[in-house]
Amino acid sequence: MLALLASLLAFHFLATPVLAQVSPPAPDKVEQLLDLLDDPTVKDWLAARRTQAPAGDVTAAAPADDTDRGMMSSALERVKGHLTRLAHSWPLMPQRFDTVRQVVMKDVGERGGLSVVALIALFVGVGAVLSYIAFRLARPLRLWVIAQDMETPQGRVGKFGGRFLVGLLMLGAFTIGSAGAFLLFEWPPLLREIVLAYLTAAIAIWAIRIVLRVVLLPSFMGVVRAREVRAFNISDARADHWNRWIVIFSSVVAIAAATISLRSRFGFTPDDVLALAVPIDLALLVIALLAIWKRPVARPEDQEHPGMFGHKATSWLLTVYIVLLFLIRVSGANVAFWFVLAAFAAPAAVVVATRAVNYVLRPPLAENKTPPLPAVTVAVVDRAIRLSLIVLAAYLLAKVWGLDMSSMAETSPRMTLVLRGLLNAAVIALGADFIWSIIKAVIQRKIGIQAPVAMNDGEAAPVLDPQQARLRTLLPILQNIMLAIILVMAVLMVLSSVGIQIGPLIAGAGVVGVAVGFGAQTIVKDVISGVFYLLDDAFRVGEYISTGKFSGTVESFSLRSVKLRHHRGSLYTIPFGELGAVRNGSRDWATDKFNITVGFETDLDFARKLIKRIGLELAEDPEYKPWIIEPIKLQGVQEFGEYGIVLRIKATTRPGGAFGMKRKFYLRVREVFKQNGIELPVPTVHIHGQSTGALPIGPENEAVAAQVHLQRRKKDPAASEEEA
């Protein structure tokens, strides 16, 4: 709201100096003056006058060019001259007002000003009646607005759009009923001009009222749950406060602008306009201070973005700022005034616009099934509004400062060149930020889209669609490249806008690039190798690879290296130039082969059927089904081992899908084989000696076996050594 207040203040201050300017002389008179100044006789006379000027004559002794004096001295001289003009104009104001009264009486008759006021009030009333009629006729549109869902961003945008259309209809009806109806009749020229000026001010005030109704929804409008569909997250009390004071402030601004626009009809000089602007500025200062100090204290639920300062501290800071603006304005320091005003108004407007966009386009509640707006849409809207506000501020500053944004003439003063360069740099930086925000939002949206997770057993990473994995590999690198390109182009354009020749810089950068390339061959090798690895699609983010003595899951890339996360947690950063041959264990499919051992007496055909049945059960398990390409099956006998027959088992799955499934398979095999009497042999050691039987080596028989071995060694050392 403070940003809107500052914008209205800027409108008033923008209108005053423009209206106060003297009309330029005719071109033929300018040519005559230039010819006269080129006359040698005139030049000699002017030179003689300069040398003969008395010491107290400031005008004659002053140098022709301000550049011969210091900047502070020139500024003080301008302030002194401005205050002198005001001091000379104020005593003449009663005489000016008397002249206005005489002019009005002469043109409109004996009734004078009262008739003008009554006429303006009459046509404003007609416009208000027509505006109300348009409001009633727009009932179907208003019902459609009410029917929109306020819980979704699409519904809130629809409500704003519908209310805005209703407001446009009301504004059009008011314009037709006031200014349009007035123009249907013939009026005296001066009366016509006066009434049209103030009717235009009334139309501007009406337009601001409608905009505030659309944005703030004051409580007198009777909207249910108005807070949810406002442009800002503020309470009813704060909305009513700012609606009331902004209307008052804008009314004073509009009436003042209408009054000043009639200066030529009443014979006001530019100095008279400046003197008249001082009480207007003072009135605006009082209104702004009242609006600041009377604003309601924000409650905790209203502070969505709590500020750095409290309520009182903020009020005092704003008071100091507004009083400073008033003093700079009265002193006539036009450049400083506009700089100080823009330094607060432009960032405040950007912050307010960003908060409004984020609040209106906020995601729906969790219970609402409507999908939220894409992040790229919110970013585009936010950056577009920000860019428009800053470009508009730059255009207004250039206009009031008298800068020519389309050319860079060498004859321009130094301050003009600096200001023009700064404005161009700001616009270029914002354009670069706008483009980068869109690119970043699009890339982040593409990276954030993942395929549904099929299984995650605690060790295997979530499954990504191959195309999505490819995008997640290349898009971060593309994002870094685009950032570098945008930064370089923006810097070059900014340097060019401030008058620096960028041709030698580009040539020098090329030479430096060649020198750096020769001196950093390893880095160049890494970058080029990385480009070819990516072009060959050797690996992607999320895939498990092995290269040399390194292995792990690919986490991220840079321009010269890849980061691998080992399954034990270690993170390797490997330059592309050192990768060499790469073994990718996560591409397309993987075949896992493993062995189990059964006893020599096992019925192999029966065991094969059991293994097949277990494989089919796992293939139908919802936990493992998405991973399995071919179910587990018996390939055949691998070999005859020392303790039993070694069987070869095979399974084809998606990469990473065999880890959890193998564990489940081993548990099921042990359970099913035990139920069907199939032995899973374990290694045993038999000791032959005086003992009547063999003792299998185990934890409970280790001591007995050791005693037997010692006794045999005492009786027959040679035999015991041979047995060992």
Side-chain angles (χ1 to χ4, degrees), residues 505-684:
L505 291 177
I506 296 176
V511 174
V512 172
V514 173
V516 171
F518 280 111
Q521 296 183 23
T522 302
I523 297 178
V524 175
K525 174 186 175 183
D526 294 336
V527 173
I528 295 177
S529 299
V531 171
F532 282 105
Y533 275 117
L534 296 178
L535 290 178
D536 292 338
D537 196 16
F539 43 80
R540 303 166 184 165
V541 172
E543 293 184 339
Y544 190 90
I545 65 172
S546 300
T547 170
K549 58 181 179 180
F550 303 105
S551 61
T553 303
V554 180
E555 279 201 349
S556 62
F557 293 90
S558 67
L559 290 177
R560 63 173 298 269
S561 63
V562 59
K563 295 184 184 299
L564 300 183
R565 176 72 67 177
H566 193 264
H567 59 273
R568 293 180 179 174
S570 302
L571 182 65
Y572 300 114
T573 301
I574 310 169
F576 284 118
E578 299 180 10
L579 278 181
V582 175
R583 182 174 69 87
N584 193 329
S586 302
R587 186 62 58 86
D588 301 332
W589 53 271
T591 297
D592 194 9
K593 297 182 179 181
F594 51 95
N595 301 328
I596 61 173
T597 304
V598 297
F600 286 107
E601 305 300 328
T602 302
D603 185 350
L604 296 181
D605 186 60
F606 184 57
R608 179 184 63 79
K609 293 179 180 179
L610 293 178
I611 292 172
K612 182 178 181 181
R613 188 182 72 185
I614 296 172
L616 292 176
E617 290 177 0
L618 293 178
E620 296 300 325
D621 191 327
E623 186 178 2
Y624 307 110
K625 184 176 181 179
W627 293 86
I628 296 175
I629 298 177
E630 293 183 7
I632 294 177
K633 62 182 178 180
L634 177 65
Q635 274 195 301
V637 176
Q638 178 72 11
E639 61 179 353
F640 289 97
E642 298 182 9
Y643 311 106
I645 302 174
V646 179
L647 302 180
R648 190 68 161 174
I649 309 297
K650 174 184 176 182
T652 302
T653 63
R654 299 184 184 279
F659 296 105
M661 187 179 64
K662 282 174 61 176
R663 295 190 181 98
K664 187 67 174 290
F665 174 76
Y666 285 138
L667 292 175
R668 289 290 295 146
V669 162
R670 181 179 179 277
E671 179 183 352
V672 172
F673 278 16
K674 186 176 182 180
Q675 292 175 355
N676 291 274
I678 296 178
E679 177 189 4
L680 292 174
V682 295
T684 56

Side-chain angles (χ1 to χ4, degrees), residues 209-222:
R209 289 182 67 253
I210 290 175
V211 170
L212 291 175
R213 282 189 169 194
V214 173
V215 174
L216 295 179
L217 277 178
S219 60
F220 63 81
M221 295 184 64

Side-chain angles (χ1 to χ4, degrees), residues 321-617:
Y321 173 77
I322 294 176
V323 171
L324 177 63
L325 270 181
F326 174 76
L327 295 177
I328 296 175
R329 169 70 175 170
V330 172
S331 67
N334 192 42
V335 174
F337 169 79
W338 284 106
F339 180 79
V340 174
L341 179 61
F344 171 78
V350 169
V351 171
V352 169
T354 300
R355 291 182 179 179
V357 170
N358 292 334
Y359 184 69
V360 173
L361 302 182
R362 64 188 184 276
L365 299 178
E367 57 270 15
N368 197 304
K369 302 302 182 181
T370 305
L373 290 178
V376 62
T377 303
V378 179
V380 168
V381 174
D382 180 26
R383 292 307 193 277
I385 295 176
R386 178 184 304 182
L387 180 62
S388 303
L389 290 174
I390 301 298
V391 170
L392 178 61
Y395 171 76
L396 294 177
L397 285 177
K399 184 176 181 180
V400 298
W401 284 341
L403 303 180
D404 183 10
M405 302 296 291
S406 61
S407 64
M408 180 78 71
E410 296 180 357
T411 58
S412 298
R414 181 173 56 186
M415 183 58 69
T416 301
L417 293 176
V418 172
L419 293 176
R420 185 188 297 119
L422 291 177
L423 292 177
N424 285 332
V427 173
I428 292 170
L430 286 166
D433 175 70
F434 177 67
I435 296 173
W436 166 244
S437 300
I438 295 176
I439 294 175
K440 183 179 179 181
V442 172
I443 291 177
Q444 293 298 327
R445 181 171 180 267
K446 290 290 185 181
I447 292 176
I449 300 176
Q450 294 186 1
V453 177
M455 188 273 285
N456 189 352
D457 65 350
E459 292 188 6
V463 178
L464 292 179
D465 180 73
Q467 183 179 1
Q468 182 62 27
R470 179 70 168 160
L471 290 177
R472 295 190 66 186
T473 302
L474 297 178
L475 287 180
I477 298 178
L478 177 62
Q479 178 176 332
N480 294 334
I481 294 174
M482 294 301 299
L483 176 60
I485 292 174
I486 291 174
L487 282 177
V488 171
M489 293 183 63
V491 170
L492 291 177
M493 293 175 67
V494 168
L495 293 176
S496 176
S497 68
V498 297
I500 298 176
Q501 298 294 330
I502 62 174
L505 291 177
I506 296 176
V511 174
V512 172
V514 173
V516 171
F518 280 111
Q521 296 183 23
T522 302
I523 297 178
V524 175
K525 174 186 175 183
D526 294 336
V527 173
I528 295 177
S529 299
V531 171
F532 282 105
Y533 275 117
L534 296 178
L535 290 178
D536 292 338
D537 196 16
F539 43 80
R540 303 166 184 165
V541 172
E543 293 184 339
Y544 190 90
I545 65 172
S546 300
T547 170
K549 58 181 179 180
F550 303 105
S551 61
T553 303
V554 180
E555 279 201 349
S556 62
F557 293 90
S558 67
L559 290 177
R560 63 173 298 269
S561 63
V562 59
K563 295 184 184 299
L564 300 183
R565 176 72 67 177
H566 193 264
H567 59 273
R568 293 180 179 174
S570 302
L571 182 65
Y572 300 114
T573 301
I574 310 169
F576 284 118
E578 299 180 10
L579 278 181
V582 175
R583 182 174 69 87
N584 193 329
S586 302
R587 186 62 58 86
D588 301 332
W589 53 271
T591 297
D592 194 9
K593 297 182 179 181
F594 51 95
N595 301 328
I596 61 173
T597 304
V598 297
F600 286 107
E601 305 300 328
T602 302
D603 185 350
L604 296 181
D605 186 60
F606 184 57
R608 179 184 63 79
K609 293 179 180 179
L610 293 178
I611 292 172
K612 182 178 181 181
R613 188 182 72 185
I614 296 172
L616 292 176
E617 290 177 0

